[in-house]
Amino acid sequence: MDKLPKWVDVALIPLINLALALIVSGFVVALIGEDPFNALSVMVRGAVGSTYGWGYTLFYATNFIFTGLAVAIAFHARLFNIGGEGQAQLGALGVALVCLALPWPHWIIALPFAILGGALFGAAWAAIPAYLQAKRGSHIVITTIMFNFIASALLVYLLVGILKVPGSMAPETARFPEGAHLPSARDVLAVIGIPFARTPLNVAFLVALVCAWGVWMLLWRSRLGYEIRAFGQSEPAARYAGISPLKITMITMLISGALAGLMAINAVMGEQQRLIQDNVLGAGFVGIAVALMGRSHPVGVLLAAILFGALYQGGAELEFETSVPREMVVVIQALVILFTGALDGMIRRPLESLFARRKRSTSGVPAE
Amino acid sequence: MTAPAIELKGISKSFGPVHANKDIDLRVMPGTIHGIIGENGAGKSTLMSILYGFYKADRGQIYIRGDKTEIADSQAAIRAGIGMVFQHFKLVQNFTVLENIVLGAEEGAFLRQSLARARTLLKELSEEYELHVDPDAKIEDLGVGMQQRVEILKALYRRAEILILDEPTGVLTPSEADHLFRILEGLKREGKTVILITHKLREIMEVTDTISVMRRGEMTATVNTADTSPEELAELMVGRKVLLRVDKTPSKPGEVVADVKNLRVVDSDKVERLRGISLQVRRGEILGIAGVAGNGQSELLQVLGGMQDATGEVRINGEPIDLTGTKSDARTRRARGIGHVPEDRHHEGLILNFHAWENVAFGYHHAPEYNSGPLMDNRAIRQDAEAKIAKFDVRPANCWLEAKSFSGGNQQKIVIARELEREPDLLLVGQPTRGVDIGAIEFIHEQIVALRDQGKAVLLVSVELDEIMSLSDRIAVMFDGRIMGERLPSETNERELGLLMAGITDTDREHSVAEIEANLAHVAGKVV
Amino acid sequence: MSYADIIQILDSSIRLGTPLLLACLAGLYSERSGVFDIGLEGKMLVAAFFSAAVAAITGSVWIGLLAGVAASVVFAMIHGLASITFRGDQLISGVAINFLAAGMTVLIAQDWFSQGSRTPSLSGDARFSSIDLPFADALSGVPILGPLYSEALSGHTILVYVALLAVPATWYVLFRTRFGLRLRAVGENPGAVDTAGISVTRLRYSAVLICGILCGLAGAYLSTGLAAGFTKDMTAGRGFIALAALIFAKWRPWYALFACLLFGLLQAISNRYSTLDLGIFEIPNAFVLALPYILTVVILAGFVGRAIPPRAGGEPYVKER
């Protein structure tokens, strides 16, 4: 029986959880001797108060859209892909290899290949945990965690070895050729005469929006999406309907890994312009918070990603202007995951009984 | 006059808007076996959960041996001398019998003395009540009958004076059930009080002294077993005369639709679940598969429905079908004209969180009429769903409701509508009326017979012998992954089928009873 | 490689294996009770910070230890609240705990010490000093076994010996006491425990509490035994290696000891050699570091001895109707 109206489930509960996370964060800020309201206003101003702020906010948001969609689509198949971090690292490797492979004449030619490279490498890194889950029943949470560490070891190995620029001390690849540079928001907007600050925001943002739309089409308009959602609800039912658990687990994780890998289009190709060790910077994990907050719906993911983008950018400003380190954002992120993901029942159950009581008092007739 | 062992006064309990128990009064005298009978959902289990401290009643009092007693949790129930044997056993599978018995009733913080003392006491109890079981056996190696004994011993070890058994025979063969009833008689002789909760009329008539009937959360009657009849009880249970017979004409079997030869299934634990099943289902007939739950019927349905791999040979309309590989899945089976109403509609037949219209396409979501190009045509699916909901009188007639919001009967109607409207050559039906209200049962039975009369073949699996007897044109009995024999409903009776369900054929009659029982325990360990 | 080298590597295996072992046993209690815990890392980290910070402030490592354990227990209780009381997702709760620890430690470190998210260096009584086992000197002359005892086994801090003793203690508690019986039962079938009149909630909370205490010891050892102060993210994935070791050990105490020593050994080797030259080919350092994770995946895949977690693990307990 439906206990809660839809709007409570998709809007009210996430907002209450977010508010709780922010209130607790406010206490933390107060505890370290800063004014939480001032901190908030610094963050808001820093994140959305200028085109500079917006640029960074949306740049971060782009990363989180990719990783958030990656976690969200896996959630629909009841798979917890905690390996977005590693898959994004491998995606970065794929993008870097593509960008370095040829003297690309123009970004519009390089981009599709880079997308292919990032998606393919990210998907490949998700494939083994997916296969082990589907075939051998190995817990995908644990295997994807392990694969995060293996990925970073692999990257270290490559960056101090084969991929390093000869003679250089820094563990990083050469810079990508000019033709593999994605145009920034400033460049694009200048064409139509809108001034925009110099920020790393680039056309990858549009790729992310297309991906969000694609995931929505996939989940609610395609047979594959229907099968993914059915499988996520009940595996025996999936088998009953002729849906192969192996196939769905594999495909879902491959898509998930590919989406995580695509993050590199923004971070590596759009900003860093070379492959470095810490190219993901925890965005894979932020994806978990974003997917939880966005209730695994592409629109929700989009909104949550922008929120977290703003938090990241605001956090950077906070560190700049006050004594609060940017790790404050990690705390807020942790609290969001805690309240929306783990402590959901704390809010949901009282609300459920509240609405059950209201329903009874309005209808007045007991069922049966 | 002695005080009743248990007396309940005005017990009420609701879950949200649902009144599970309404003003229940009950008196059970010590040293008797008292039956509580009622349909699924009548509120029997809720009442017992209140007695065992799982739920707190909203209103009412409980008196144990004349004393008003608060039962706040299971610990309090145990202290009050109440023991409970749940339908689903509460045993730790990888613990020994002894460890399970000691759990929660240990003496002191260290196990050594507790286990030693328990071993002695267990031996005494075993002998006193003829409840023999190996204290060092692991639970996962024991058959269901044995596991049930462990549950009873657990209660006795805690010095229970009042023993409640919830649907204890659901997983037992008739002979195991008889053994259980002997044990219960023994307990009664020792002065214990037994409360037996069941929905099976026959067994309640056999062993109880008094019977209470529950209907829709209310206690509708309490009678002496000697003064009543199964017919009267059935009427009290459902509130009107029950029509147990299904109106149908004699079948006119045509050519063979499904030809199954030597079907074998080995599960992931390397246990052979199907041991060479051969059967045929013809056009225009219903083949009923009788058997105690867990003897391979589920596997048979799953294999034919494409949910499980197998070896052997199956032909549909003369053409062989793949039993392994990518072409052995449910989608291919549907394309070959096999419809499937699964045993478990909550976990197999429906996606409870999907809208009704999404469920109408479930399993047929590749059908051309539900798709346009690469995408699904959701509008077409909704139109079809509305038509089917109207035709099968699903209530409420709203295809936007999620499947979980419908009652059991209406959920089953959605499944039946989906599978029958495709007019499959072979329809697989598992437990079609489990958890379904009386009104819907008749409707569902009529639909199945109607499909037969269209010249389709039906394979029916049910653990309800009455359903098998009244619906089938031919009955096959399964035991331990084999077919023990086939009978015509007109030429057999429940006694004969019951023996077959226990694995006893005519040639077996010469074997000693002990041998058969040992065989049963052995087998039960594997199948459950 | 000389014998002295081997002794040195074994010595550092024990040192590096100790935090793994403590965290691994912590996870063992929690997961045996049916509460999955991927937040070992976070609890270690927060304990590492608070023990170093309080030791730095008070000058006493023992008060530091208490503070570290207390902080870890607070985090464990958050996990308990989420996964037991509010029946939330245990994995998600673990993820949150890890982030919370990563952020909070830096925040507080910066606020208290303003030294770039680290504590001041610890020395003297603010650190655990090494203990010589009896007869360590006298036996050092005995060939082969002498150095093994006096140099590899002796001369560690008290927490190392606590960790080693925790192994038989855990075995005894788990398999020989009433608490252990109930703990194992609640991780396999909480329904059986509940109907036997024992509180599932209380049992699981005590397991989570023990988990918090042991993680606290692990973290304290990191910052006041192994290192001399706290640095940002100093656990560096140890909580996950401990988790890997727990799976590797199939949730059994003695196996856990061997798994943790093995993983400690791998760390010791990779610390000592930048590449491992096996004559025919070289094994890169990164591979040695990744080996615990790779081995765990292999074990999880079930190719070598399948690891079956406690049956009720990860599922919040809801009474059936």
Side-chain angles (χ1 to χ4, degrees):
Chain A
M1 200 182 295
D2 253 341
K3 288 178 183 159
L4 285 174
K6 197 109 188 155
W7 64 272
V8 175
D9 188 41
V10 302
L12 184 63
I13 291 181
L15 286 178
I16 294 178
N17 286 329
L18 180 67
L20 280 174
L22 289 178
I23 291 169
V24 176
S25 309
F27 277 114
V28 174
V29 172
L31 274 181
I32 57 176
E34 288 282 340
D35 176 6
F37 296 100
N38 180 44
L40 186 66
S41 86
V42 168
M43 284 181 79
V44 172
R45 211 165 351 103
V48 297
S50 61
T51 59
Y52 176 84
W54 270 109
Y56 270 95
T57 292
L58 292 180
F59 167 73
Y60 290 127
T62 308
N63 288 342
F64 305 152
I65 294 172
F66 285 120
T67 55
L69 288 174
V71 177
I73 195 165
F75 272 156
H76 277 284
R78 197 158 290 177
L79 295 164
F80 188 6
N81 178 13
I82 206 167
E85 196 78 8
Q87 290 143 19
Q89 289 226 335
L90 262 285
L93 178 64
V95 168
L97 291 180
V98 168
C99 290
L100 291 167
L102 293 171
W104 296 98
H106 192 274
W107 67 269
I108 204 109
I109 302 168
L111 183 62
F113 289 95
I115 287 177
L116 210 63
L120 226 55
F121 272 61
W125 205 243
I128 301 170
Y131 183 81
L132 291 178
Q133 165 83 52
K135 268 289 194 199
R136 320 275 316 176
S138 324
H139 205 307
I140 200 155
V141 170
I142 308 292
T143 46
T144 49
I145 290 177
M146 299 300 142
F147 265 69
N148 284 341
F149 287 100
I150 300 172
S152 78
L154 178 67
L155 230 60
V156 168
Y157 169 69
L158 292 174
L159 286 175
V160 299
I162 310 165
L163 291 179
K164 199 175 68 169
V165 181
S168 156
M169 283 304 289
E172 56 186 44
T173 64
R175 285 188 76 83
F176 298 161
E178 199 57 36
H181 287 193
L182 292 181
S184 71
R186 180 190 172 91
D187 302 339
V188 175
L189 291 173
V191 175
I192 48 173
I194 300 173
F196 200 83
R198 186 177 297 281
T199 65
L201 180 64
N202 61 77
V203 293
F205 178 63
L206 301 177
V207 178
L209 292 183
V210 171
C211 283
W213 176 79
V215 168
W216 180 80
M217 285 295 283
L218 174 78
L219 282 173
W220 281 284
R221 286 292 178 272
S222 78
R223 290 186 291 279
L224 178 62
Y226 181 90
E227 295 194 340
I228 289 174
R229 289 184 295 125
F231 170 75
Q233 295 285 335
S234 165
E235 184 172 331
R239 269 187 292 122
Y240 162 79
I243 300 167
S244 155
L246 173 69
K247 183 183 121 188
I248 295 299
T249 305
M250 287 303 293
I251 292 183
T252 309
M253 279 303 286
L254 289 178
I255 297 174
S256 176
L259 285 166
L262 283 180
M263 191 200 117
I265 295 294
N266 185 48
V268 177
M269 196 179 180
E271 193 211 4
Q272 294 151 4
Q273 286 290 314
R274 63 194 189 287
L275 182 60
I276 56 176
Q277 257 177 35
D278 289 327
N279 57 66
V280 184
L281 293 170
F285 294 118
V286 182
I288 298 168
V290 166
L292 286 171
M293 183 86 218
R295 286 286 184 271
S296 299
H297 192 287
V299 174
V301 166
L302 201 66
L303 295 174
I306 292 172
L307 177 75
F308 270 90
L311 276 177
Y312 265 68
Q313 168 54 16
E317 290 296 314
L318 197 62
E319 185 172 65
F320 192 67
E321 288 195 23
T322 70
S323 67
V324 183
R326 64 163 41 192
E327 272 75 10
M328 188 63 227
V329 179
V330 179
V331 173
I332 299 177
Q333 176 188 328
L335 291 169
V336 168
I337 296 179
L338 191 67
F339 283 113
T340 54
L343 288 174
D344 188 63
M346 189 168 75
I347 298 303
R348 186 173 293 270
R349 272 190 266 160
L351 278 179
E352 273 172 2
S353 56
L354 185 77
F355 277 93
R357 219 174 304 145
R358 256 186 43 175
K359 207 186 244 174
R360 216 176 330 159
S361 64
T362 50
S363 69
V365 192
E368 284 198 77
Chain B
M1 187 186 155
T2 50
I6 284 192
E7 183 165 18
L8 305 181
K9 288 185 182 168
I11 295 283
S12 293
K13 174 77 186 170
S14 9
F15 297 100
V18 182
H19 292 289
N21 283 168
K22 268 183 277 186
D23 207 17
I24 302 276
D25 292 325
L26 176 70
R27 282 162 66 100
V28 181
M29 298 309 285
T32 62
I33 301 182
H34 184 90
I36 296 184
I37 194 162
E39 282 194 288
N40 289 325
K44 299 169 302 206
S45 294
T46 304
L47 186 62
M48 292 308 120
S49 296
I50 289 170
L51 257 181
Y52 200 63
F54 261 31
Y55 296 131
K56 202 176 155 18
D58 300 337
R59 280 192 307 280
Q61 299 96 40
I62 300 170
Y63 294 84
I64 307 284
R65 285 177 293 277
D67 299 327
K68 188 160 184 286
T69 311
E70 289 290 331
I71 301 179
D73 52 23
S74 306
Q75 191 77 58
I78 293 167
R79 270 200 307 274
I82 298 173
M84 183 113 174
V85 176
F86 290 88
Q87 194 177 356
H88 305 286
F89 304 145
K90 305 290 181 183
L91 298 169
V92 182
Q93 289 292 314
N94 60 357
F95 277 19
T96 64
V97 168
L98 206 57
E99 285 174 321
N100 266 291
I101 284 174
V102 159
L103 181 68
E106 306 90 342
E107 298 166 35
F110 302 98
L111 281 185
R112 190 190 290 261
Q113 305 100 303
S114 301
L115 288 176
R117 239 170 281 175
R119 190 181 292 275
T120 335
L121 193 56
L122 187 61
K123 199 152 172 278
E124 289 169 22
L125 287 172
S126 297
E127 277 157 18
E128 198 174 343
Y129 298 103
E130 288 178 60
L131 280 159
H132 296 286
V133 49
D134 173 11
D136 297 310
K138 280 235 171 98
I139 296 297
E140 55 202 0
D141 300 328
L142 295 179
V144 269
M146 277 293 178
Q147 295 193 13
Q148 195 171 55
R149 286 185 203 178
V150 177
E151 284 285 17
I152 295 172
L153 282 167
K154 244 168 85 176
L156 295 176
Y157 183 77
R158 287 158 173 75
R159 301 192 170 74
E161 287 299 318
I162 302 158
L163 193 68
I164 305 170
L165 296 102
D166 190 6
E167 301 282 359
T169 59
V171 289
L172 301 183
T173 62
S175 90
E176 281 178 314
D178 284 343
H179 192 125
L180 172 70
F181 296 151
R182 284 206 300 280
I183 292 168
L184 298 185
E185 295 284 351
L187 290 169
K188 177 178 147 184
R189 270 197 304 280
E190 298 291 325
K192 310 265 183 196
T193 309
V194 177
I195 298 180
L196 184 68
I197 303 169
T198 181
H199 66 278
K200 293 186 183 170
L201 290 170
R202 205 172 318 113
E203 64 190 43
I204 209 159
M205 291 298 295
E206 219 169 285
V207 287
T208 59
D209 301 307
T210 46
I211 300 172
S212 296
V213 184
M214 286 190 79
R215 185 172 77 218
R216 295 190 171 192
E218 287 179 89
M219 200 65 96
T220 49
T222 297
V223 291
N224 286 322
T225 311
D227 305 337
T228 188
S229 66
E231 289 74 20
E232 188 194 8
L233 285 178
E235 204 184 319
L236 286 167
M237 263 167 76
V238 296
R240 64 179 166 112
K241 292 272 185 205
V242 204
L243 186 67
L244 282 173
R245 292 286 147 192
V246 178
D247 282 330
K248 64 178 169 66
T249 54
S251 73
K252 299 183 244 351
E255 73 263 34
V256 175
V257 173
D259 190 2
V260 176
K261 282 196 188 112
N262 196 24
L263 205 59
R264 286 173 190 276
V265 166
V266 178
D267 73 5
S268 54
D269 296 328
K270 307 258 189 293
V271 179
E272 205 171 20
R273 298 290 187 164
L274 293 183
R275 301 162 182 259
I277 296 282
S278 297
L279 54 82
Q280 291 186 331
V281 197
R282 293 170 176 277
R283 289 200 177 281
E285 74 164 353
I286 298 174
L287 173 64
I289 306 279
V292 178
N295 276 291
Q297 307 97 306
S298 305
E299 284 78 4
L300 178 63
L301 281 182
Q302 299 209 332
V303 165
L304 293 177
M307 297 172 68
Q308 198 169 11
D309 285 357
T311 60
E313 194 190 337
V314 177
R315 286 171 183 274
I316 299 295
N317 295 324
E319 293 290 315
I321 58 172
D322 287 0
L323 294 176
T324 54
T326 50
K327 290 286 165 213
S328 71
D329 66 337
R331 186 180 164 192
T332 318
R333 292 295 152 78
R334 288 195 172 85
R336 294 292 299 273
I338 300 178
H340 186 181
V341 177
E343 289 186 305
D344 184 345
R345 67 176 164 271
H346 285 169
H347 298 104
E348 295 174 353
L350 294 168
I351 299 289
L352 291 179
N353 283 332
F354 274 17
H355 302 296
W357 65 268
E358 285 177 297
N359 273 298
V360 167
F362 196 51
Y364 299 96
H365 50 282
H366 290 280
E369 65 269 29
Y370 289 155
N371 290 278
S372 65
L375 298 178
M376 292 183 87
D377 187 348
N378 289 346
R379 189 172 306 159
I381 298 174
R382 278 195 289 273
Q383 275 171 6
D384 187 45
E386 272 164 14
K388 282 179 178 153
I389 282 174
K391 182 167 177 192
F392 282 78
D393 191 28
V394 178
R395 290 182 216 178
N398 179 355
C399 74
W400 280 102
L401 281 181
E402 286 169 347
K404 64 184 172 197
S405 316
F406 291 91
S407 71
N410 284 300
Q411 288 176 342
Q412 190 70 321
K413 280 187 194 170
I414 295 176
V415 178
I416 297 264
R418 181 180 72 209
E419 300 301 323
L420 266 62
E421 282 294 277
R422 297 260 156 192
E423 300 188 348
D425 287 337
L426 171 67
L427 181 72
L428 309 169
V429 191
Q431 322 296 352
T433 54
R434 182 184 276 171
V436 167
D437 41 291
I438 292 279
I441 288 179
E442 284 175 7
F443 180 80
I444 289 166
H445 283 172
E446 282 164 15
Q447 296 297 323
I448 293 171
V449 172
L451 190 78
R452 179 202 75 163
D453 292 343
Q454 278 178 49
K456 308 294 184 184
V458 178
L459 181 71
L460 166 76
V461 165
S462 175
V463 291
E464 301 293 338
L465 210 46
D466 291 342
E467 184 165 75
I468 292 282
M469 292 283 281
S470 55
L471 214 50
S472 311
D473 300 313
R474 202 151 51 87
I475 300 171
V477 183
M478 276 186 78
F479 170 75
D480 189 24
R482 290 194 184 87
I483 293 201
M484 302 306 292
E486 281 191 13
R487 299 288 185 273
L488 293 176
S490 53
E491 292 167 9
T492 187
N493 54 39
E494 300 201 335
R495 199 189 121 72
E496 188 190 21
L497 293 177
L499 282 171
L500 286 170
M501 283 160 68
I504 301 163
T505 55
D506 292 340
T507 48
D508 276 335
R509 293 281 165 89
E510 297 122 42
H511 292 274
S512 71
V513 175
E515 202 174 319
I516 292 165
E517 281 193 356
N519 182 30
L520 280 177
H522 171 71
V523 162
K526 286 184 191 165
V527 287
V528 172
Chain C
M1 201 191 299
S2 70
Y3 187 60
D5 288 342
I6 293 176
I7 292 292
Q8 269 188 19
I9 289 177
L10 287 181
D11 177 61
S12 55
S13 304
I14 293 177
R15 274 190 294 118
L16 294 166
T18 294
L20 301 182
L21 182 56
L22 285 165
C24 184
L25 292 175
L28 192 146
Y29 280 98
S30 182
E31 300 208 346
R32 276 280 191 169
S33 82
V35 179
F36 279 170
D37 193 352
I38 59 174
L40 298 173
E41 174 92 356
K43 288 196 277 289
M44 273 168 91
L45 188 64
V46 77
F49 170 72
F50 276 98
S51 44
V54 172
I57 293 166
T58 62
S60 159
V61 70
W62 290 102
I63 300 178
L65 179 70
L66 276 181
V69 168
S72 170
V73 165
V74 168
F75 273 50
M77 287 301 119
I78 295 176
H79 188 53
L81 201 66
S83 46
I84 306 168
T85 305
F86 291 113
R87 296 178 214 142
D89 190 307
Q90 302 173 4
L91 298 165
I92 291 173
S93 168
V95 171
I97 296 239
N98 289 336
F99 282 122
L100 201 58
M104 290 292 268
T105 49
V106 173
L107 232 57
I108 302 174
Q110 188 62 21
D111 185 44
W112 286 6
F113 304 107
S114 308
Q115 293 186 3
S117 66
R118 48 171 68 232
T119 61
S121 274
L122 304 176
S123 56
D125 284 343
R127 275 195 79 191
F128 280 107
S129 51
S130 54
I131 298 173
D132 284 328
L133 292 184
F135 314 116
D137 272 345
L139 291 172
S140 64
V142 179
I144 311 290
L145 291 179
L148 195 68
Y149 179 76
S150 62
E151 283 169 47
L153 208 56
S154 173
H156 293 287
T157 63
I158 176 96
L159 289 179
V160 172
Y161 303 110
V162 168
L164 291 175
L165 287 176
V167 175
T170 298
W171 176 84
Y172 187 84
V173 166
L174 219 50
F175 297 106
R176 288 291 180 270
T177 68
R178 174 175 66 187
F179 175 70
L181 183 78
R182 293 175 173 190
L183 188 79
R184 285 182 290 133
V186 81
E188 290 288 330
N189 184 355
V193 171
D194 194 13
T195 51
I198 312 163
S199 160
V200 172
T201 306
R202 199 182 310 159
L203 211 45
R204 286 194 166 163
Y205 263 109
S206 15
V208 168
L209 175 72
I210 296 173
C211 171
I213 293 171
L214 288 170
C215 275
L217 296 180
Y221 175 76
L222 271 184
S223 62
T224 61
L226 202 57
F230 173 87
T231 49
K232 181 184 171 182
D233 285 333
M234 76 179 303
T235 39
R238 282 188 175 85
F240 293 105
I241 299 191
L243 198 64
L246 182 59
I247 294 162
F248 206 72
K250 299 176 184 175
W251 294 268
R252 293 178 203 171
W254 285 108
Y255 288 36
L257 174 66
F258 296 118
C260 291
L261 287 180
L262 173 68
F263 291 175
L265 175 71
L266 291 172
Q267 288 189 345
I269 290 173
S270 77
N271 285 356
R272 196 176 162 90
Y273 305 102
S274 62
T275 53
L276 209 55
D277 192 348
L278 291 184
I280 319 161
F281 56 91
E282 284 184 354
I283 297 178
N285 193 2
F287 180 76
V288 178
L289 274 179
L291 204 54
Y293 307 114
I294 295 171
L295 285 175
T296 303
V297 172
V298 172
I299 283 284
L300 272 173
F303 296 118
V304 222
R306 202 177 181 89
I308 300 164
R311 227 162 290 196
E315 295 291 324
Y317 177 59
V318 185
K319 269 181 195 178
E320 287 171 47
R321 256 196 212 178

